[in-house]
Amino acid sequence: MTASKLPDLALSTSDTPDTPGSPRYRPLRAWAVLLLLAVFMVLNFADRISLALAAQPLIRELHLSASEFGLISSSFYFLYSVSAVGVGFLATRHVPLKWLLFLMSLLWAATQLPVFLFASGGVLLGTRVGLGMAEGPATAVANSTAYSWFPPHRRGLPTALLTSGASVAKLVAAPLLTVLIVREGWRSAFLALAIAGLVWCVVWFFGGRTGPFAPAPVATPDAASRAARRRTFLTVVRSRTFLVLLLATYPMYALISVVLSWLPSYLEAGLGFSPITSGFLFGLPSIIGMVVMLGAGWVTDRLLAAGASARVAHGLVPTLALALGGVLLTLLPLAGGSRYVAYALLVAGYCLTLVAQPIVYAAIGTAAAPSQRTSVLSLFIALQSTSGIIAPWATGALVDAAGDRVSGYNTAFLVLGALIAAGGLVAARFCDPGRDAAHDAPA
């Protein structure tokens, strides 16, 4: 095929650093935008965990069972995957990433206000569905915006920083929101997050933009171009790497959804910690998680710079971390009555699984053609996140069915740990992002 037939697949020099005519890396501007994106991801996860932090007073006031609360938590994921895929494809068709991020944050703020004003089980269910729909594309769009500011060999650390937004939210936002809930009532947390979201929108309006490494704008594709794009897209999503990484991270994402929904309740109602202590302990794993994710991103960047293959840096590192983290989670029931041993096992296993998340996203981004990176990442995250539709509700059902709450929580973590360990080992055997990489047609 000639280049004239594939104008929309022309590879921008944005993905070829340090060559004549290539875009110039501007570290100060790049890191300033990355900082705004990191705050965006912190708000993303703070909105999610607000329900978990308010769980016990909310359950008592609204007279909810564990299963009903689990269903409300799971409802966040009802439209999460659909919106992730849909917005991912919009971004691929060059709807400006800046305005997608602005609109998402505005919608997040809008879903918090009804809970503050007139909370009920039905309102919580509806607003969580709306919040999930607005947050579904966040990770893929934020990462794609960050990639537009950094050349390929510098993307590991920024990806890890954005992924660590969950850790920062639990480390910083969780204790603050917990104190606010204890002193002012659980509804006040939702009002505070609505205000924070609106403030971010204003700052991003004036300071946000995409960078010089974004794929070049393209013309409307003809039939041949669309067919070529479909083949390129399917090359990645049908690849062994895409499929085994999805298999490995599916239960990992289920674990994340359970932790974001149930960990404060597990610490308070299961292990017997006070509400304030539970809020702070909820954030403690974030210190370790953030360090290991940033460290893993730095290590993989150094491995690639030293000539290591993508199979080693983006394949074996995350999948073996998943396997080890899963094994530690399966040991949780052996803690018996020691709440500190149980907490230590949970933190260690959970943080090891977190190592994999940014590296896996980098692996999928590496395998995807540059012009389709957002849509491929969006599809991967959308499929991965469907585990959240089941996991929080199933955990609540296990807690209701168990003779005591600790047994119900332990059963959930045992099952998730076993699935994570098995998936990690399978992916370690078959994952190879370099082998399965797709490329845009040359200009």
Side-chain angles (χ1 to χ4, degrees):
M1 291 186 181
T2 65
S4 62
K5 293 182 179 180
L6 296 171
D8 62 317
L9 295 181
L11 176 59
S12 168
T13 55
S14 62
D15 273 299
T16 308
D18 304 325
T19 59
S22 67
R24 183 168 60 89
Y25 171 54
R26 300 174 177 84
L28 290 179
R29 179 63 173 166
W31 282 91
V33 173
L34 184 65
L35 179 61
L36 281 176
L37 293 172
V39 174
F40 173 84
M41 294 305 297
V42 169
L43 290 174
N44 174 291
F45 282 95
D47 287 337
R48 295 194 199 186
I49 65 176
S50 59
L51 185 68
L53 293 170
Q56 292 306 301
L58 184 155
I59 287 172
R60 288 192 295 268
E61 180 178 328
L62 302 182
H63 307 292
L64 301 174
S65 67
S67 297
E68 289 169 337
F69 178 80
L71 177 62
I72 291 172
S73 298
S74 289
S75 68
F76 175 88
Y77 298 95
F78 287 178
L79 296 178
Y80 187 92
S81 300
V82 175
S83 66
V85 174
V87 174
F89 279 95
L90 283 176
T92 297
R93 285 160 174 76
H94 306 289
V95 174
L97 295 176
K98 171 178 179 173
W99 299 114
L100 288 175
L101 290 166
F102 178 86
L103 180 59
M104 280 188 281
S105 183
L106 191 64
L107 290 174
W108 300 352
T111 62
Q112 306 303 311
L113 290 176
V115 180
F116 172 74
L117 295 172
F118 33 83
S120 67
V123 169
L124 283 169
L125 186 68
T127 55
R128 296 309 283 186
V129 171
L131 180 64
M133 180 183 68
E135 289 198 356
T139 300
V141 176
N143 275 279
S144 291
T145 305
Y147 292 164
S148 75
W149 284 99
F150 294 88
H153 65 291
R154 296 180 184 270
R155 289 173 182 165
L157 189 58
T159 303
L161 183 61
L162 292 183
T163 307
S164 68
S167 298
V168 176
K170 287 182 285 183
L171 174 64
V172 178
L176 293 176
L177 290 172
T178 300
V179 171
L180 189 62
I181 288 168
V182 170
R183 292 184 177 179
E184 304 296 334
W186 62 268
R187 289 173 173 80
S188 61
F190 294 87
L191 176 62
L193 289 171
I195 295 171
L198 292 173
V199 170
W200 187 91
C201 284
V202 173
V203 176
W204 180 254
F205 179 85
F206 292 103
R209 54 171 292 188
T210 53
F213 293 93
V218 296
T220 303
D222 56 22
S225 298
R226 289 193 295 270
R229 289 170 65 88
R230 283 194 297 270
R231 287 194 298 270
T232 305
F233 181 83
L234 292 174
T235 295
V236 177
V237 301
R238 290 176 176 174
S239 70
R240 186 183 297 178
T241 291
F242 187 97
L243 295 175
V244 297
L245 287 179
L246 180 61
L247 173 69
T249 58
Y250 196 80
M252 177 209 74
Y253 202 95
L255 173 66
I256 292 173
S257 70
V258 168
V259 167
L260 293 177
S261 301
W262 283 109
L263 183 55
S265 292
Y266 171 63
L267 296 172
E268 183 178 344
L271 299 185
F273 292 104
S274 70
I276 292 290
T277 302
S278 296
F280 278 88
L281 289 178
F282 184 40
L284 186 58
S286 303
I287 301 174
I288 304 171
M290 183 168 56
V291 170
V292 296
M293 281 195 293
L294 293 174
W298 182 86
V299 167
T300 55
D301 281 355
R302 299 286 75 75
L303 285 172
L304 291 171
S309 68
R311 167 159 173 73
V312 172
H314 288 165
L316 291 179
V317 171
T319 54
L320 292 179
L322 279 174
L324 181 57
V327 169
L328 290 176
L329 290 171
T330 64
L331 302 178
L332 193 58
L334 301 180
S338 175
R339 61 183 183 177
Y340 294 103
V341 173
Y343 179 70
L345 284 171
L346 178 59
V347 169
Y350 178 61
C351 288
L352 274 171
T353 63
L354 290 181
V355 169
Q357 193 176 18
I359 306 175
V360 166
Y361 291 160
I364 297 300
T366 297
S371 68
Q372 296 180 327
R373 186 175 290 123
T374 303
S375 58
V376 171
L377 269 173
S378 295
L379 178 63
F380 184 86
I381 294 168
L383 293 173
Q384 181 190 70
S385 66
T386 58
S387 61
I389 297 174
I390 303 169
W393 169 81
T395 299
L398 288 171
V399 171
D400 279 340
D404 61 274
R405 290 180 174 179
V406 174
S407 297
Y409 291 121
N410 283 346
T411 301
F413 289 126
L414 171 63
V415 172
L416 289 171
L419 292 173
I420 290 168
L425 291 174
V426 171
R429 171 65 180 83
F430 296 107
C431 174
D432 190 344
R435 176 199 62 204
D436 295 330
H439 303 282
D440 285 324

